[in-house]
Amino acid sequence: MADDGWASMAGRPPAGTDLDDRLRPLDRYCWELTDGLREAGRAVDQNPDAITDHLGLPVIDFETQCTLPPQYRTPNGHPAGILAAGASQLGRVITGERFGYGDPGVLLAAPGPTLSGLAVQALADAEQRRRYYERIAAGPTWTFFGLTEPRKGSAAIELETALTPDADGGFVLTGEKRYVGTAARAQIGVVFCRRAPGPWGIEAVLLDTSSPGFEAELLPMVGLRGARISRIRLAGVPVEPAQILGRQRPPSRRGLYGALHVLHRGRLGLAAMAMGIAQAAADYVRQNRPNLPGQARWRLDEVDERIAVLRRLVHRAAADVDRAVVNVHRIGAVKLRAAELGEEATMLAADLLGPASLVEHPWLEKVYRDARAFEFMEGTGGIHRLSVFQGLIKGDFLAPLSPAAATENAGA
């Protein structure tokens, strides 16, 4: 596969990291699992439904196993220690970059808990977790995370989707969600909605897509087509009290808390995938033009250096989360920079490979499109710039925050 730049990454530890004895084997193992990922990515780009033909890829099973609680895992030959390492936030970042280097579209197209699983982890009681994870573990199950709305974006405290009581002691769910990954294919997911005014009136509901009144349709996409970004319409969907996640929790630790818990961790995962794209684009140029002239070589070296610096920052932010220290401003900053760097690296690759590069290099044309999606996923660049500014004004940007303080700052 030398023609797509793959060989130049083989066996190379990522620059800008100091992986310990637990994480180095994870990094090597993830690299070994990426065989066949780009071929699957090309197929999924042409037809998102083609993901069903590639569910046997070990990388897809590994991703699912890492995101399941230990009692629901079926190791399937994956070393237990590596699965455990891959389940941490830092492990999620390491796997995200390696697999993003291969093809992020396949990861986003694959079944598994993904973001809805993070919401269940944060909010669900024991019975809700059991029902959710037993279903995931039973076979390939696609899930969705329904937060973004047409008029409000992903502003959690401004949600309009309504959860209202019915005459039988339950509820009905009415509203619309947009730009929701895999919703048009999913069997189960989490919808964020409003039951009462104010930030503590937000709830998270575990929903089966076969419920009456639930409708999802695929939106047209230019890049990352495997993500199957969708629109959801909720026309009086019946909801039982047992479907409300964390219903026994205090209001301040329910819907809004869960949404922010997911976004902070999801942003780090997306940053890792965007870094993978940036590194893949740089390596692709070196593989296809090994004798770049001086100025061009300097521009490419600069991108490598920026990726290494960003990688260290992303790893530090992820390690902080593993220590229950969540600085939302720094997380926003690294997600912003990773999305920008993914775009810049693919643009540079197209420039250095010549005017016809996007015609002559099909892989580059695809990744050029894919990289643009990260600007819009889990908050646009403008949102993260505002968060960085607020962190600097408050003096929080450089200081670690407790989980409680992070929630208060993010919800303000």
Side-chain angles (χ1 to χ4, degrees):
M1 292 188 289
D3 62 330
D4 63 6
W6 191 273
S8 61
M9 188 72 170
R12 192 180 73 193
T17 58
D18 297 310
L19 302 182
D20 60 23
D21 292 340
R22 185 176 62 96
L23 295 172
R24 279 194 297 271
L26 171 67
D27 181 67
R28 289 193 298 269
Y29 190 74
C30 288
W31 174 254
E32 293 169 0
L33 290 182
T34 52
D35 186 42
L37 199 49
R38 290 194 180 175
E39 290 82 352
R42 285 192 284 268
V44 169
D45 182 60
Q46 294 170 7
N47 174 18
D49 289 334
I51 187 62
T52 58
D53 299 327
H54 299 278
L55 296 182
L57 286 174
V59 64
I60 291 179
D61 180 68
F62 181 77
E63 271 291 289
T64 299
Q65 298 304 323
C66 280
T67 52
L68 288 173
Q71 63 268 35
Y72 296 103
R73 291 176 189 157
T74 52
N76 296 331
H78 305 298
I82 287 179
L83 278 174
S88 68
Q89 187 62 55
L90 183 51
R92 296 283 72 219
V93 163
I94 291 169
T95 60
E97 182 181 359
R98 284 301 198 187
F99 298 159
Y101 185 99
D103 192 278
V106 173
L107 295 186
L108 296 172
T114 61
L115 296 180
S116 71
L118 291 174
V120 169
Q121 289 175 21
L123 300 176
D125 60 30
E127 178 59 21
Q128 290 169 333
R129 291 187 183 200
R130 183 191 65 79
R131 292 202 312 268
Y132 176 84
Y133 284 114
E134 283 185 354
R135 184 163 183 179
I136 299 291
T141 304
W142 280 263
T143 65
F144 72 89
F145 175 78
L147 176 63
T148 303
E149 296 186 350
R151 290 181 296 275
K152 299 300 181 181
S154 56
I157 61 175
E158 299 180 24
L159 295 181
E160 295 179 343
T161 297
L163 186 69
T164 55
D166 64 15
D168 301 319
F171 301 87
V172 292
L173 190 60
T174 305
E176 184 176 349
K177 298 292 181 179
R178 194 171 294 179
Y179 310 120
V180 182
T182 70
R185 172 181 287 280
Q187 291 85 48
I188 191 171
V190 175
V191 172
F192 287 83
C193 53
R194 180 172 295 285
R195 188 169 67 166
W200 308 140
I202 296 168
E203 300 284 7
V205 174
L206 190 60
L207 206 62
D208 193 302
T209 61
S210 65
S211 301
F214 183 96
E215 179 187 346
E217 61 177 331
L218 194 63
L219 295 172
M221 296 180 64
V222 174
L224 281 185
R225 291 170 177 157
R228 296 183 67 87
I229 302 300
S230 309
R231 174 193 294 117
I232 297 175
R233 293 189 179 91
L234 305 158
V237 178
V239 174
E240 297 296 327
Q243 293 174 248
I244 300 175
L245 293 178
R247 62 193 186 281
Q248 306 302 328
R249 288 168 163 257
S252 63
R253 285 296 181 269
R254 288 168 69 164
L256 179 60
Y257 172 83
L260 297 174
H261 176 94
V262 175
L263 290 174
H264 300 155
R265 289 153 182 80
R267 285 165 180 165
L268 288 171
L270 289 174
M273 284 192 277
M275 282 195 303
I277 282 182
Q279 190 68 70
D283 289 350
Y284 185 89
V285 174
R286 286 196 169 84
Q287 192 73 13
N288 285 274
R289 288 199 65 188
N291 299 313
L292 285 170
Q295 180 70 10
R297 187 171 62 253
W298 177 86
R299 294 170 65 193
L300 198 58
D301 288 343
E302 183 188 30
V303 165
D304 271 333
E305 292 170 2
R306 292 172 61 196
I307 293 170
V309 171
L310 179 62
R311 185 179 289 120
R312 186 175 295 276
L313 295 175
V314 173
H315 283 206
R316 286 178 179 173
D320 282 346
V321 171
D322 284 329
R323 295 186 294 108
V325 175
V326 181
N327 188 309
V328 299
H329 313 296
R330 290 206 297 265
I331 290 173
V334 296
K335 191 274 177 178
L336 165 67
R337 288 305 182 204
E340 290 178 338
L341 193 52
E343 290 193 34
E344 291 172 16
T346 54
M347 291 174 65
L348 177 61
D351 183 29
L352 296 181
L353 292 176
S357 58
L358 297 183
V359 175
E360 296 172 347
H361 300 270
W363 176 84
L364 180 59
E365 188 275 335
K366 176 187 177 299
V367 78
Y368 188 94
R369 288 184 282 110
D370 287 349
R372 270 90 197 130
F374 291 92
E375 159 65 17
F376 304 100
M377 300 168 74
E378 313 302 349
T380 63
I383 295 296
H384 296 307
R385 289 184 181 90
L386 179 60
S387 175
V388 171
F389 175 77
Q390 291 172 336
L392 290 170
I393 293 297
K394 296 175 184 177
D396 293 337
F397 186 80
L398 298 178
L401 298 180
S402 70
T407 301
E408 291 169 5
N409 281 349

